[in-house]
Amino acid sequence: MKVNNSAEIRRRIDELKRRKRAVILAHYYTTPEVQEAADFLGDSLALSVKAQSVDADIILFAGVHFMAETAKVLCPDKKVLIPCPEAGCSLAESCDEKDFAAFKAKYPGHTVVSYVNTTVGVKALTDICCTSSNALKVVQSIPADRPIIFAPDRNLGGYIKKLTGRENIVLWDGACHVHEEFSLEKLLQLKKEHPAAKVVVHPECRAYIVEVADFVGSTAAILDYCGRSGADEFIVVTESGILAEMKKRYPGKTFIPAPPDDETCGCNNCKYMKMVTLENICACLENESPEIVLDEEVRRRAERSILNMINIK
């Protein structure tokens, strides 16, 4: 069935969801219209937890590939769809499974903590996953005398290493292309122009960006902080897709996106998240394809590392 405009596409998506008992999970970094079409909106931790409990036959993950993989790991009996399988993640792609296996072999006896922004193969090599929401809690759950491999984000890992004071953390050298590109010079200029604004920063940013923050936290934590803070103005140093939810929740407040070094590149937008559209969501539900299919042995090993994370209270 061919549809021609956004309203028609939304109606068709809603019809397909009802008929096929499907739900849409979407990340905060997708476009506003995709967020509006979602049944559940959240950051990576919230969506990982939600995937376990949804009452549906089909989960369509409006996000990048590793997120849909994670949903399939946790919901092997459900059909998990991804509308744009080409939507990857620069951070996940910075940690190749074979290279990581060789890296891990160099550090026997280390507990492997991997960010959810990894492929299912890397998760299968991991002892316990983490997100930016719970990375500190995960690391603190590991005995202080036990050495750790933290992968793949060197910035998040370095931030956690500094917070905990643990020198026995070995970092994989990976990074997110969005969070790497923010300009300190331009951020400091924004602070001069908006002296009352609070600077909120994601811990995937470089250390010199984190150092000038008023608040450092995950996407969900930043959203929460903006609500409880008495400030009316915020400089937002993370992927700009979050601004849609910020403006929706707090319409009386002002949110200013921090610019990257090269403002012509659009680098404060994740190009992969923006590849998800209403059109490919609709087609995906129509065809029930592309579908995430995983090797069962790899899935089980990855599931263990994710459940180890979710079970930390």
Side-chain angles (χ1 to χ4, degrees):
M1 176 178 176
K2 186 175 177 60
V3 287
N4 300 312
N5 61 50
S6 293
E8 290 179 5
I9 293 171
R10 279 294 305 276
R11 283 194 291 271
R12 181 59 176 160
I13 287 172
D14 290 341
E15 176 193 340
L16 288 165
K17 286 195 300 181
R18 286 192 298 270
R19 179 156 57 85
K20 300 192 176 195
R21 294 195 74 248
V23 297
I24 297 176
L25 307 184
H27 194 275
Y28 288 125
Y29 293 169
T30 53
T31 62
E33 58 266 26
V34 168
Q35 293 182 34
E36 289 170 7
D39 298 288
F40 302 102
L41 184 65
D43 66 359
S44 52
L45 177 59
L47 293 174
S48 295
V49 174
K50 192 65 187 180
Q52 292 182 293
S53 62
V54 292
D55 180 21
D57 297 324
I58 295 174
I59 295 172
L60 184 145
F61 214 112
V64 296
H65 197 273
F66 80 80
M67 294 178 176
E69 281 188 337
T70 301
K72 184 63 177 181
V73 167
L74 294 171
C75 307
D77 297 330
K78 289 184 169 62
K79 180 176 282 190
V80 177
L81 306 177
I82 181 166
C84 186
E86 299 80 20
C89 168
S90 59
L91 182 53
E93 290 165 6
S94 74
C95 189
D96 175 78
E97 176 186 345
K98 290 182 179 178
D99 291 342
F100 187 66
F103 183 81
K104 178 181 175 180
K106 295 178 182 178
Y107 299 98
H110 285 55
T111 297
V112 179
V113 178
S114 291
Y115 205 17
V116 292
N117 299 45
T118 48
T119 65
V120 67
V122 170
K123 288 183 178 72
L125 294 166
T126 295
D127 295 303
I128 180 167
C129 284
C130 73
T131 72
S132 53
S133 295
N134 64 15
L136 178 61
K137 187 180 290 187
V138 166
V139 169
Q140 288 175 331
S141 75
I142 299 167
D145 61 349
R146 189 179 301 167
I148 293 170
I149 294 172
F150 191 99
D153 192 278
R154 59 177 177 258
N155 294 323
L156 177 61
Y159 177 66
I160 298 301
K161 189 172 182 176
K162 181 178 179 180
L163 287 181
T164 59
R166 293 177 67 148
E167 292 301 320
N168 59 352
I169 299 178
V170 178
L171 303 178
W172 175 268
D173 189 20
C176 164
H177 79 282
V178 173
H179 291 99
E180 282 269 286
E181 294 297 328
F182 289 107
S183 165
L184 179 60
E185 181 182 358
K186 292 174 182 176
L187 176 57
L188 294 176
Q189 181 60 38
L190 273 179
K191 280 172 63 71
K192 287 182 181 178
E193 294 169 4
H194 303 273
K198 297 294 185 182
V199 178
V200 293
V201 174
H202 195 284
E204 287 179 33
C205 293
R206 294 179 186 266
Y208 55 73
I209 298 289
V210 170
E211 286 173 5
V212 302
D214 294 294
F215 179 80
V216 180
S218 67
T219 310
I222 287 173
L223 276 167
D224 180 63
Y225 173 80
C226 291
R228 69 176 190 269
S229 170
D232 294 321
E233 199 171 24
F234 300 87
I235 298 170
V236 182
V237 195
T238 188
E239 210 277 348
S240 60
I242 190 61
L243 270 70
E245 183 66 11
M246 288 175 161
K247 292 171 183 176
K248 180 180 177 181
R249 289 195 194 184
Y250 316 119
K253 299 193 176 190
T254 300
F255 301 97
I256 306 158
D261 276 316
D262 180 3
E263 294 184 54
T264 64
C265 72
C267 295
N268 57 352
N269 282 290
C270 175
K271 63 181 181 181
Y272 300 110
M273 289 285 192
K274 302 313 187 265
M275 291 168 71
V276 181
T277 66
L278 292 180
E279 288 82 1
N280 56 34
I281 287 173
C282 189
C284 186
L285 285 172
E286 288 268 14
N287 303 318
E288 297 186 22
S289 177
E291 180 182 358
I292 298 291
V293 178
L294 303 176
D295 175 85
E296 180 59 16
E297 181 183 349
V298 173
R299 188 202 68 78
R300 286 181 180 275
R301 286 190 281 126
E303 181 182 42
R304 175 185 54 82
S305 66
I306 298 169
L307 292 179
N308 284 344
M309 170 189 74
I310 290 173
N311 290 334
I312 289 180
K313 304 302 181 185

